[in-house]
Amino acid sequence: MEELSDNVYRFILSNIRDEELARDIVQDAYERLWMNCKKVDAKKVRSYLFTTAHNRMIDMIRKAKHEQKADVTPEVASPYHDDQYSDLSEVLESALSELNETQRSVLLLRDYEGYAYKEIAEITELSESQVKVYIYRARLAMKEKIGSIEAIV
Amino acid sequence: MSKINKHNYEAYLLDFMEGTLSKEDAKALEKFLKENPQIDADIFDSSGLSIKPDEQVNFNNKLQLQRDESLPEFSKRDSLLIGLLEDNLNTTDREKAKKLLAENESALRDYTLYKKTKLEADYSVTYKGKSSLKKKAPVLSLRQVSYASVAAVLVGLLAFALIRLNTPGNTLYQPGQIAKTSDVIHFDAEKTNKPETNLQTAIQQSEKPEHLASNTNRHNSGEKESRHTENTITEKTQVNTIPRMGVKELPYDEQRMSDVVMNYREISEPVSPLNINNITYVKVSQDKKGIQLPNRKEIDETLEKYNPIKNLREAKNELLATNAKSLFNRE
């Protein structure tokens, strides 16, 4: 079960880009899991961890926004400029950073974990149709970003 | 002389085609063209002036103009391309998307960009500190610990007692023997907080136990003396007592023992002190001739009455109070 921590950690880290905070969130998710292990269906452990971590992350982001802590806010400026990308991964990272937190979360859950829209909806507490729209918007925005950078390069 | 000549007729001609040429100039232009038929033949060919649409050229992005009914904010084209990438198109739309890609280079280029939006996790990124995620030992509340401890102690005590009871010859007192004071413990719930400091005081107090006052009054002095003597083994051996959870423990002392036991009757039956956690429980035998153990049934009933989660003190109090009652209510 601890192996899931890698997945949760990557998901959170890709969202907030703060290793320490990401570790705290993973730790917190597992503590909550153990506290509620009798209530959690064994088949739902993975989903439970992602849900808990996601909720915790959203709480922290909102709190950080409220406190105007730019170092926690995920919408930090990309470290890359349009003429500094060395490969596609950097372009993608930059494009990902420009998405809003919901688009980023659903896209990461979709691509990293391969979750279905329904599962993503459960984790993020959105409707399936909302998840679909967020994913489409994210893809469209990232495609535009990639296209504009490729045109420059 | 006409103002229109071979050098400027094109300007008049363009104004005519634009509809801005005056009637006078239009007539002059007409006259000029009639006088110069060669110009008229070369330039005013009707086929050369009219622009016909190239029917071979079509707008290939019609889908870009359509909206997806389910996703109105997206064009049908983007919806098909993203849907194809997401693998959530129905059969009809899938065919449309494939046809679009086959026929439209621009759509194919866009689809290539869409495919690049697929994110791949970096598996070299791992969570360091998995050991800290393992389930920790359950943290019991103080109440839980207390209950668990009491239960464990009671079970242990009972097991130990049963072992002792079932071990022949283990501190077994034969008739005629007197139990060692170290093995004899008197329990008196009403005296738990009154540790005795010397033998005399203990004897004096034991002569008139408060909780036996009514019983004592019903007896004449002879009976009282007799009972006092019979109770000696438990009542009068309170030497250097140690208050311990309502139990007064009597450490072995040969000299004091000899002082105490002079009034003892012989023990008429073998007894094996019930030693629980180094505390020995005895009671005077029903035949008034010595001490005896509370039997197993009495112990079981007492312990059962007090659920293990109850305080050990209560359990012991009850157990030994039963003994004391038996001790002082003898026939």
Side-chain angles (χ1 to χ4, degrees):
Chain A
M1 187 181 298
E2 286 77 22
E3 298 306 314
L4 282 175
S5 61
D6 289 338
N7 301 56
V8 180
Y9 178 66
R10 280 191 288 265
F11 167 63
I12 299 297
L13 185 60
S14 295
N15 266 287
I16 62 175
R17 295 184 182 182
D18 185 314
E19 293 183 4
E20 188 175 351
L21 275 178
R23 278 196 295 271
D24 287 347
I25 290 172
V26 173
Q27 182 83 34
D28 185 68
Y30 272 79
E31 285 179 7
R32 288 170 188 265
L33 172 65
W34 294 129
M35 286 172 63
N36 298 289
C37 59
K38 291 182 179 177
K39 302 175 188 173
V40 179
D41 186 341
K43 297 176 183 175
K44 298 271 187 179
V45 166
R46 182 188 184 95
S47 176
Y48 181 88
L49 283 172
F50 274 96
T51 302
T52 308
H54 177 261
N55 290 342
R56 181 78 176 121
M57 179 185 73
I58 296 297
D59 289 344
M60 295 182 79
I61 289 172
R62 288 174 181 166
K63 184 179 178 184
K65 281 182 177 177
H66 182 70
E67 296 175 354
Q68 299 294 310
K69 287 185 177 177
D71 57 335
V72 181
T73 307
E75 282 77 17
V76 293
S78 168
Y80 305 105
H81 298 291
D82 287 352
D83 56 351
Q84 291 182 338
Y85 301 107
S86 59
D87 56 29
L88 179 63
S89 64
E90 290 181 359
V91 176
L92 285 174
E93 189 175 346
S94 175
L96 189 64
S97 71
E98 293 177 11
L99 301 177
N100 68 41
E101 63 201 40
T102 308
Q103 290 176 359
R104 187 164 47 241
S105 288
V106 296
L107 194 64
L108 287 169
L109 289 170
R110 179 70 172 165
D111 288 352
Y112 278 18
E113 302 303 320
Y115 275 123
Y117 291 171
K118 183 179 180 182
E119 293 169 314
I120 296 173
E122 290 174 356
I123 291 171
T124 56
E125 297 179 350
L126 298 168
S127 69
E128 278 190 64
S129 58
Q130 284 177 310
V131 169
K132 183 177 180 181
V133 168
Y134 278 122
I135 287 177
Y136 274 46
R137 284 177 185 168
R139 296 243 184 261
L140 184 60
M142 291 191 72
K143 175 253 198 184
E144 297 296 334
K145 174 78 175 180
I146 296 169
S148 65
I149 291 171
E150 285 192 349
I152 292 172
V153 176
Chain B
M1 183 179 175
S2 173
K3 59 182 179 181
I4 300 176
N5 53 45
K6 290 181 182 179
H7 303 289
N8 64 7
Y9 76 94
E10 290 175 332
Y12 285 93
L13 185 61
L14 288 173
D15 286 343
F16 175 76
M17 294 179 69
E18 291 289 326
T20 58
L21 198 65
S22 65
K23 290 181 179 179
E24 182 182 349
D25 287 342
K27 288 180 179 178
L29 178 62
E30 185 178 1
K31 180 182 177 185
F32 171 76
L33 291 177
K34 286 180 179 177
E35 291 171 352
N36 299 278
Q38 183 60 38
I39 294 175
D40 185 40
D42 292 344
I43 300 177
F44 290 93
D45 183 348
S46 61
S47 62
L49 288 175
S50 64
I51 299 174
K52 293 183 178 179
D54 183 356
E55 294 181 355
Q56 300 301 315
V57 177
N58 296 314
F59 181 62
N60 290 332
N61 288 328
K62 294 186 180 67
L63 289 173
Q64 189 70 34
L65 307 178
Q66 299 174 15
R67 297 282 109 175
D68 189 317
E69 290 180 3
S70 61
L71 299 166
E73 68 179 273
F74 299 98
S75 69
K76 184 68 178 175
R77 180 172 179 272
D78 283 328
S79 179
L80 286 175
L81 295 179
I82 299 174
L84 187 64
L85 181 71
E86 289 286 307
D87 194 24
N88 58 9
L89 295 179
N90 58 36
T91 307
T92 305
D93 282 346
R94 177 180 294 276
E95 290 305 315
K96 283 183 182 177
K98 287 181 177 178
K99 185 180 178 184
L100 177 66
L101 293 178
E103 297 176 349
N104 192 311
E105 191 174 332
S106 171
L108 183 60
R109 190 168 54 249
D110 279 353
Y111 185 66
T112 303
L113 290 175
Y114 274 125
K115 286 201 291 187
K116 290 180 180 178
T117 68
K118 273 278 189 182
L119 302 171
E120 290 187 6
D122 180 358
Y123 293 103
S124 66
V125 177
T126 57
Y127 181 81
K128 295 176 179 62
K130 293 184 177 62
S131 59
S132 67
L133 303 177
K134 291 179 179 175
K135 186 177 184 179
K136 296 178 175 60
V139 178
L140 297 177
S141 67
L142 189 59
R143 179 183 294 271
Q144 288 173 311
V145 170
S146 176
Y147 289 166
S149 300
V150 171
V153 167
L154 285 178
V155 169
L157 293 179
L158 188 58
F160 183 71
L162 293 175
I163 292 172
R164 289 293 301 266
L165 282 173
N166 294 327
T167 306
N170 184 12
T171 321
L172 186 64
Y173 294 84
Q174 299 299 326
Q177 285 185 310
I178 301 297
K180 289 181 179 179
T181 52
S182 60
D183 290 331
V184 178
I185 290 176
H186 167 67
F187 174 81
D188 185 342
E190 296 184 20
K191 293 180 179 177
T192 54
N193 295 319
K194 299 175 183 176
E196 309 304 335
T197 55
N198 57 63
L199 177 62
Q200 188 58 38
T201 303
I203 293 173
Q204 288 173 352
Q205 288 201 0
S206 65
E207 287 176 349
K208 292 182 180 180
E210 293 176 9
H211 64 289
L212 294 173
S214 58
N215 286 341
T216 304
N217 293 335
R218 290 200 303 267
H219 293 76
N220 57 37
S221 59
E223 290 175 328
K224 181 178 178 182
E225 179 61 25
S226 173
R227 190 171 62 77
H228 164 69
T229 302
E230 293 164 1
N231 291 342
T232 299
I233 196 165
T234 53
E235 286 287 310
K236 290 186 177 180
T237 56
Q238 300 180 49
V239 182
N240 193 23
T241 54
I242 303 169
R244 183 177 177 183
M245 294 193 70
V247 175
K248 292 176 181 176
E249 192 170 352
L250 308 178
Y252 180 71
D253 186 306
E254 197 65 49
Q255 180 58 44
R256 287 170 179 167
M257 194 67 191
S258 64
D259 293 337
V260 170
V261 300
M262 57 187 180
N263 293 319
Y264 280 16
R265 290 183 178 182
E266 289 184 352
I267 297 173
S268 61
E269 61 187 61
V271 294
S272 177
L274 171 60
N275 190 315
I276 298 178
N277 198 22
N278 295 324
I279 299 170
T280 306
Y281 300 92
V282 296
K283 66 177 183 180
V284 175
S285 60
Q286 292 297 319
D287 61 6
K288 309 176 186 177
K289 292 182 180 180
I291 61 172
Q292 68 179 38
L293 291 171
N295 62 38
R296 182 172 178 173
K297 183 180 178 183
E298 289 173 319
I299 297 170
D300 287 345
E301 286 176 351
T302 303
L303 293 178
E304 186 177 357
K305 181 178 179 180
Y306 287 92
N307 188 286
I309 64 173
K310 286 197 171 185
N311 194 294
L312 177 61
R313 178 193 296 270
E314 292 179 340
K316 282 188 174 179
N317 285 353
E318 178 65 20
L319 173 65
L320 295 170
T322 302
N323 293 342
K325 188 176 181 182
S326 170
L327 180 68
F328 298 116
N329 289 343
R330 290 168 298 159
E331 293 295 334

